[in-house]
Amino acid sequence: MHRRTVKFMLGVTASILVATPALAQKTTVTDADRAMVREMVEEAISFRTAKGHGQVPALVDALTARFRAAGFAAEDIQSVPVEIDGEQTMGLVVRYRGSGKGAKKPIAFLAHMDVVDALAENWATDPFKPVEKDGYLYGRGSSDNKAGMTLVAATFMRLKKAGWTPSRDLVIAFSGDEETGMRTTRALTQHPWVKDAEFALNADAGGGSMERDGSNPTFSIQAAEKTFATFLISTSNPGGHSASPRADNAIYELADAIKAVQGLKFPVQFNEITRDMVKKVAAKRGGDVGAAFNRLLADPNDVAARAVVEKVSDSNILWTTCVATMLKAGNAPNALPQNAIATVNCRIFPSTPVAEVQQTLAKAIGNPAVKVELDGEGVESPASPINEPLFAILRKAIHANYPGAPADPSMSSGGTDGREYRRVGIPTYGAGSLAMVRPDDSRAHGTDERLLLSSFYKELVFWDVLLKSLAGGK
């Protein structure tokens, strides 16, 4: 796969001076700005943009009207319709034209407009009617990812209204099915305004955590993510009457295969992102666990060290994982099973071929009568290269709100639009400093998802500082 190395070298703070190579830029966030972004995020939440409800195009229309009102020309706003299972969804692309000075390639800004659906009966509030309680805004998508999407859009609008012109093109690329297939994401990576981007910044892959009193904020800059593949492991035989059991029972054979998958251990792997992560984890944990992490850094085949780190959650970044998630077998209570199928979902270390994982599963099962077949499409994606100049700019934007807070590159185990951009050679990095109280606020995809409003408003400063630092301009 092609990998390009990047070459370019409110607590709301009311006014911040930001030094850029060209000039000092002043960031001023007003009450009107906060009111606008609050209105926008509530509007976005009110659209039920889950698959099957057909609301993504309506949200695109609402955003388009706002971009037009902010001064963006019609020819700089394009929708990218995609039909999936008889339903139309779409992506949205908005070009903020630069002055053209310096002839630098565009920067893409990513977020997704869709959400995982919610069951209203399980929520304390209506998931699609935003409600403020105790400093939080409750609603589906409030944190994943309508906050990030709204903040990027609002910053483009604020700067456009203020008459700011970037030194290079900045391009919004909002997807419409990130949660269910990323078909719009793939279409966006091929859009003429997006495909030549020097790099992409993903509002769905940046952020941080802090204590409830706001202390100890830490942030991550996602530069890699595990990809995934789902496999169907199946057995079959002629079956028969349950009164006459036979030795080659399809369920028993499948059970043996599942136990083999349970015992499977993929090898320890490192890339430049995870190596740095593990060094920091080792230093933070210390003791026997920290020592074990350090031993794996020196020797990935150290079995005793692996046995220690397997007991902590931090270890999942070190290897591919596969786990059984669904079962289907038999057709009647008084008949021997003719078919038995297990679904196994794998989260794959970046750049590991899907076919290699499939072969590893088959070898571990060790029974040629058991089929191991790919269910749907397997996705392979590399890590983005370390880019210290960019990381320094991201840290500057984070420190505008959280002075001195650590912000380090990371690899995530979940999937985002970033995987599709990395697949086509566009290095992609998480951007954003939405600080959440963990684990209390970790509710994405779950019930009573919520957004800490004090952190949300601060993000107006982050994105303002970031865009001006990346693209200078007037």
Side-chain angles (χ1 to χ4, degrees), residues 61-117:
D61 288 344
L63 288 168
T64 297
R66 288 184 177 274
F67 279 115
R68 292 286 287 122
F72 284 88
E75 59 265 28
D76 289 331
I77 306 170
Q78 293 187 4
S79 60
V80 182
V82 176
E83 186 172 307
I84 304 172
D85 299 330
E87 176 187 6
Q88 186 182 78
T89 186
M90 62 179 53
L92 175 65
V93 185
V94 181
R95 177 170 56 181
Y96 199 144
R97 290 179 185 263
S99 65
K101 296 179 180 179
K104 288 186 176 180
K105 291 183 176 182
I107 302 171
F109 292 83
L110 316 182
H112 64 89
M113 300 177 287
D114 64 314
V115 297
V116 171
D117 208 2

Coordinates of all heavy atoms in Angstrom, one line a residue, residues 61-117:
D61 N -28.8 18.8 4.0 CA -29.5 20.0 3.6 C -29.4 21.1 4.6 O -29.2 22.3 4.3 CB -31.0 19.7 3.3 CG -31.2 18.9 2.1 OD1 -30.3 18.8 1.2 OD2 -32.3 18.3 1.9
A62 N -29.6 20.8 5.9 CA -29.5 21.8 7.0 C -28.1 22.4 7.1 O -28.0 23.6 7.2 CB -29.9 21.1 8.3
L63 N -27.1 21.5 7.0 CA -25.7 22.0 7.0 C -25.4 22.9 5.8 O -24.8 23.9 5.9 CB -24.8 20.9 7.1 CG -24.7 20.1 8.5 CD1 -23.9 18.8 8.3 CD2 -24.1 21.0 9.5
T64 N -25.9 22.5 4.6 CA -25.6 23.2 3.4 C -26.2 24.6 3.5 O -25.6 25.6 3.1 CB -26.3 22.5 2.2 OG1 -25.6 21.2 2.1 CG2 -26.1 23.3 0.9
A65 N -27.4 24.7 4.1 CA -28.0 26.0 4.2 C -27.2 26.9 5.2 O -27.0 28.1 4.9 CB -29.5 25.9 4.8
R66 N -26.7 26.3 6.2 CA -25.8 27.1 7.1 C -24.5 27.5 6.4 O -24.0 28.7 6.6 CB -25.5 26.3 8.4 CG -26.8 26.2 9.3 CD -26.4 25.5 10.6 NE -27.5 25.4 11.5 CZ -27.9 26.3 12.4 NH1 -27.2 27.4 12.4 NH2 -28.9 26.1 13.2
F67 N -23.9 26.6 5.7 CA -22.7 27.0 5.0 C -22.9 28.1 4.0 O -22.1 29.1 3.8 CB -22.1 25.8 4.3 CG -21.3 24.9 5.2 CD1 -21.7 23.6 5.4 CD2 -20.1 25.3 5.7 CE1 -21.0 22.7 6.2 CE2 -19.3 24.5 6.6 CZ -19.8 23.2 6.8
R68 N -24.0 28.1 3.3 CA -24.4 29.1 2.3 C -24.6 30.4 3.0 O -24.1 31.5 2.6 CB -25.6 28.7 1.5 CG -25.4 27.5 0.6 CD -24.6 27.9 -0.7 NE -25.4 28.7 -1.6 CZ -25.0 29.9 -2.0 NH1 -23.9 30.5 -1.5 NH2 -25.8 30.6 -2.8
A69 N -25.3 30.4 4.2 CA -25.5 31.6 4.9 C -24.2 32.2 5.4 O -24.1 33.5 5.6 CB -26.5 31.4 6.1
A70 N -23.2 31.4 5.7 CA -21.9 31.9 6.2 C -21.1 32.4 5.1 O -20.0 33.0 5.4 CB -21.2 30.7 6.9
G71 N -21.4 32.3 3.8 CA -20.7 32.9 2.7 C -20.0 31.9 1.8 O -19.3 32.4 0.9
F72 N -20.2 30.6 2.0 CA -19.6 29.7 1.1 C -20.4 29.6 -0.2 O -21.6 29.5 -0.2 CB -19.5 28.3 1.7 CG -18.5 28.1 2.7 CD1 -18.7 28.4 4.1 CD2 -17.2 27.7 2.4 CE1 -17.7 28.3 5.0 CE2 -16.2 27.5 3.4 CZ -16.4 27.9 4.7
A73 N -19.7 29.7 -1.3 CA -20.3 29.6 -2.6 C -21.0 28.3 -2.9 O -20.5 27.2 -2.4 CB -19.3 30.0 -3.7
A74 N -22.0 28.2 -3.7 CA -22.7 27.0 -3.9 C -21.8 26.0 -4.6 O -21.8 24.8 -4.3 CB -23.9 27.3 -4.9
E75 N -20.9 26.5 -5.4 CA -20.0 25.5 -6.1 C -18.9 24.9 -5.2 O -18.2 24.0 -5.6 CB -19.3 26.2 -7.3 CG -18.4 27.4 -7.0 CD -19.2 28.7 -7.1 OE1 -20.5 28.7 -7.0 OE2 -18.6 29.8 -7.4
D76 N -18.8 25.4 -4.0 CA -17.8 24.9 -3.0 C -18.5 24.0 -2.0 O -17.9 23.6 -1.0 CB -17.1 26.0 -2.3 CG -16.1 26.8 -3.2 OD1 -15.6 26.1 -4.1 OD2 -15.9 28.0 -3.0
I77 N -19.7 23.6 -2.3 CA -20.5 22.7 -1.4 C -21.0 21.6 -2.3 O -21.8 21.8 -3.2 CB -21.6 23.4 -0.7 CG1 -21.1 24.6 0.1 CG2 -22.3 22.4 0.3 CD1 -22.2 25.5 0.7
Q78 N -20.7 20.3 -2.0 CA -21.2 19.2 -2.8 C -21.6 18.1 -1.9 O -20.9 17.7 -0.9 CB -20.1 18.7 -3.8 CG -19.7 19.7 -4.9 CD -18.8 19.2 -5.9 OE1 -18.5 18.0 -5.9 NE2 -18.4 20.0 -6.9
S79 N -22.7 17.5 -2.3 CA -23.1 16.2 -1.6 C -22.7 15.0 -2.5 O -22.5 15.2 -3.7 CB -24.7 16.2 -1.4 OG -25.3 16.3 -2.7
V80 N -22.5 13.9 -1.8 CA -22.0 12.7 -2.4 C -23.0 11.6 -2.1 O -22.8 10.9 -1.1 CB -20.6 12.3 -2.0 CG1 -20.1 11.1 -2.7 CG2 -19.6 13.5 -2.2
P81 N -24.1 11.4 -2.9 CA -25.1 10.4 -2.6 C -24.6 9.0 -2.8 O -23.9 8.7 -3.8 CB -26.2 10.8 -3.5 CG -25.6 11.5 -4.7 CD -24.4 12.2 -4.1
V82 N -25.0 8.1 -2.0 CA -24.7 6.7 -2.1 C -26.0 5.9 -1.7 O -26.6 6.2 -0.6 CB -23.5 6.3 -1.2 CG1 -23.3 4.8 -1.3 CG2 -22.3 7.0 -1.6
E83 N -26.4 5.0 -2.5 CA -27.6 4.1 -2.1 C -27.1 2.8 -1.5 O -26.2 2.1 -2.1 CB -28.5 3.9 -3.3 CG -29.7 3.1 -2.9 CD -30.7 3.0 -4.1 OE1 -31.0 4.1 -4.7 OE2 -31.1 1.9 -4.4
I84 N -27.6 2.5 -0.3 CA -27.2 1.3 0.4 C -28.5 0.6 0.9 O -29.3 1.2 1.6 CB -26.3 1.6 1.6 CG1 -25.1 2.5 1.2 CG2 -25.9 0.4 2.3 CD1 -24.3 3.0 2.4
D85 N -28.6 -0.6 0.4 CA -29.8 -1.4 0.8 C -31.1 -0.7 0.5 O -32.0 -0.7 1.3 CB -29.7 -1.9 2.3 CG -28.5 -2.7 2.5 OD1 -28.1 -3.4 1.6 OD2 -28.0 -2.6 3.7
G86 N -31.2 0.0 -0.6 CA -32.4 0.7 -1.0 C -32.6 2.0 -0.3 O -33.6 2.7 -0.5
E87 N -31.7 2.5 0.5 CA -31.8 3.7 1.3 C -30.7 4.7 0.8 O -29.6 4.3 0.6 CB -31.7 3.5 2.8 CG -31.7 4.8 3.6 CD -31.4 4.5 5.1 OE1 -31.0 3.4 5.4 OE2 -31.5 5.5 5.9
Q88 N -31.1 5.9 0.6 CA -30.0 6.9 0.2 C -29.4 7.5 1.4 O -30.1 8.1 2.3 CB -30.6 8.0 -0.7 CG -29.5 8.9 -1.3 CD -30.0 10.0 -2.2 OE1 -30.5 11.0 -1.7 NE2 -29.8 9.8 -3.5
T89 N -28.1 7.5 1.5 CA -27.4 8.3 2.4 C -26.4 9.1 1.6 O -26.4 9.1 0.4 CB -26.7 7.4 3.5 OG1 -26.1 8.3 4.5 CG2 -25.6 6.6 2.9
M90 N -25.6 9.9 2.3 CA -24.7 10.7 1.5 C -23.6 11.3 2.3 O -23.7 11.4 3.6 CB -25.4 11.9 0.8 CG -26.1 12.9 1.6 SD -26.9 14.2 0.7 CE -27.9 13.3 -0.5
G91 N -22.5 11.7 1.7 CA -21.4 12.4 2.3 C -21.6 13.9 1.9 O -22.3 14.3 1.0
L92 N -20.8 14.8 2.6 CA -20.9 16.2 2.4 C -19.4 16.7 2.2 O -18.6 16.4 3.1 CB -21.6 16.9 3.5 CG -21.6 18.5 3.4 CD1 -22.4 18.9 2.2 CD2 -22.1 19.1 4.7
V93 N -19.1 17.4 1.2 CA -17.8 18.0 1.0 C -17.9 19.5 0.9 O -18.8 20.0 0.1 CB -17.2 17.5 -0.3 CG1 -15.7 18.0 -0.5 CG2 -17.2 15.9 -0.3
V94 N -17.1 20.2 1.6 CA -17.1 21.7 1.6 C -15.7 22.2 1.4 O -14.8 21.8 2.2 CB -17.7 22.3 2.9 CG1 -17.7 23.8 2.8 CG2 -19.2 21.8 3.1
R95 N -15.5 23.0 0.4 CA -14.1 23.5 0.2 C -14.0 24.9 0.7 O -14.7 25.8 0.3 CB -13.8 23.5 -1.3 CG -12.4 24.0 -1.7 CD -12.1 23.8 -3.1 NE -13.1 24.3 -4.1 CZ -13.0 24.1 -5.4 NH1 -12.0 23.5 -5.9 NH2 -14.0 24.6 -6.2
Y96 N -13.0 25.2 1.6 CA -12.7 26.5 2.0 C -11.5 26.9 1.2 O -10.3 26.5 1.4 CB -12.3 26.5 3.5 CG -12.4 27.8 4.2 CD1 -12.8 27.9 5.5 CD2 -12.0 29.0 3.6 CE1 -12.9 29.1 6.2 CE2 -12.0 30.2 4.2 CZ -12.5 30.3 5.6 OH -12.5 31.5 6.2
R97 N -11.7 27.7 0.2 CA -10.7 28.0 -0.8 C -9.5 28.8 -0.2 O -9.8 29.8 0.5 CB -11.2 28.8 -2.0 CG -12.2 28.0 -2.9 CD -12.7 28.9 -4.0 NE -13.7 28.2 -4.8 CZ -13.4 27.6 -6.0 NH1 -12.1 27.7 -6.4 NH2 -14.3 27.0 -6.7
G98 N -8.3 28.4 -0.4 CA -7.2 29.1 0.1 C -6.7 30.2 -0.9 O -7.1 30.2 -2.1
S99 N -5.7 30.9 -0.5 CA -5.1 32.0 -1.4 C -4.3 31.4 -2.5 O -4.0 32.1 -3.5 CB -4.3 32.9 -0.5 OG -3.2 32.3 0.0
G100 N -3.8 30.1 -2.3 CA -3.0 29.5 -3.3 C -1.5 29.8 -3.1 O -0.7 29.3 -3.8
K101 N -1.2 30.7 -2.2 CA 0.2 31.0 -1.9 C 0.9 29.8 -1.3 O 0.5 29.2 -0.3 CB 0.3 32.2 -1.0 CG -0.2 33.5 -1.6 CD -0.1 34.6 -0.7 CE -0.7 35.9 -1.3 NZ -0.7 37.1 -0.4
G102 N 2.1 29.4 -1.9 CA 2.8 28.3 -1.3 C 2.5 27.0 -2.0 O 3.3 26.0 -1.9
A103 N 1.4 26.9 -2.7 CA 1.0 25.7 -3.5 C 1.0 24.4 -2.7 O 1.4 23.4 -3.2 CB 1.9 25.6 -4.7
K104 N 0.6 24.5 -1.4 CA 0.6 23.3 -0.6 C -0.7 22.6 -0.9 O -1.7 23.1 -1.3 CB 0.6 23.7 0.9 CG 2.0 24.2 1.4 CD 1.9 24.3 2.9 CE 3.3 24.7 3.4 NZ 3.4 24.9 4.8
K105 N -0.7 21.2 -0.7 CA -1.8 20.4 -1.0 C -2.9 20.7 0.1 O -2.6 21.2 1.2 CB -1.5 18.9 -0.9 CG -0.6 18.5 -2.1 CD -0.3 17.0 -2.0 CE 0.5 16.6 -3.2 NZ 0.8 15.1 -3.2
P106 N -4.2 20.3 -0.2 CA -5.3 20.5 0.8 C -5.1 19.7 2.0 O -4.3 18.7 2.1 CB -6.5 20.1 0.0 CG -6.1 20.0 -1.4 CD -4.7 19.7 -1.5
I107 N -5.8 20.1 3.1 CA -5.9 19.3 4.3 C -7.4 18.9 4.4 O -8.3 19.8 4.2 CB -5.6 20.1 5.5 CG1 -4.1 20.6 5.4 CG2 -5.7 19.3 6.8 CD1 -3.7 21.6 6.5
A108 N -7.7 17.7 4.6 CA -9.1 17.2 4.8 C -9.4 17.1 6.2 O -8.6 16.7 7.1 CB -9.2 15.8 4.1
F109 N -10.7 17.5 6.5 CA -11.2 17.4 7.9 C -12.4 16.5 7.9 O -13.4 16.7 7.3 CB -11.6 18.8 8.4 CG -10.4 19.8 8.5 CD1 -9.9 20.4 7.4 CD2 -9.8 20.0 9.8 CE1 -8.8 21.3 7.5 CE2 -8.7 20.8 9.9 CZ -8.2 21.5 8.8
L110 N -12.2 15.4 8.7 CA -13.2 14.3 8.7 C -14.1 14.3 9.9 O -13.7 14.7 11.0 CB -12.5 13.0 8.7 CG -11.3 12.8 7.7 CD1 -10.7 11.4 7.8 CD2 -11.7 13.2 6.3
A111 N -15.3 13.9 9.7 CA -16.3 13.6 10.8 C -17.4 12.8 10.2 O -17.5 12.7 9.0 CB -16.8 14.9 11.4
H112 N -18.2 12.2 11.0 CA -19.4 11.4 10.4 C -20.7 11.9 11.0 O -20.8 12.3 12.1 CB -19.2 9.9 10.6 CG -19.2 9.4 12.0 ND1 -20.4 9.1 12.7 CD2 -18.2 9.2 12.9 CE1 -20.1 8.6 13.9 NE2 -18.8 8.7 14.1
M113 N -21.7 11.9 10.1 CA -23.0 12.5 10.4 C -24.0 11.4 10.9 O -25.0 11.8 11.5 CB -23.6 13.2 9.2 CG -22.7 14.3 8.6 SD -23.4 15.0 7.1 CE -23.0 13.7 5.9
D114 N -23.7 10.2 10.7 CA -24.6 9.1 11.1 C -24.3 8.7 12.5 O -23.3 9.0 13.1 CB -24.4 7.9 10.2 CG -23.1 7.3 10.2 OD1 -22.0 8.0 10.2 OD2 -22.9 6.0 10.3
V115 N -25.3 7.9 13.1 CA -25.1 7.4 14.5 C -25.6 6.0 14.5 O -26.3 5.5 13.6 CB -26.0 8.3 15.4 CG1 -25.5 9.7 15.5 CG2 -27.5 8.2 15.1
V116 N -25.2 5.3 15.6 CA -25.8 4.0 15.9 C -27.2 4.3 16.5 O -27.4 5.3 17.2 CB -25.0 3.3 17.0 CG1 -25.7 2.1 17.5 CG2 -23.6 2.9 16.4
D117 N -28.2 3.5 16.1 CA -29.6 3.8 16.5 C -29.7 3.6 18.0 O -28.9 3.0 18.7 CB -30.6 2.9 15.7 CG -31.9 3.6 15.6 OD1 -32.1 4.7 16.1 OD2 -32.8 2.9 15.0

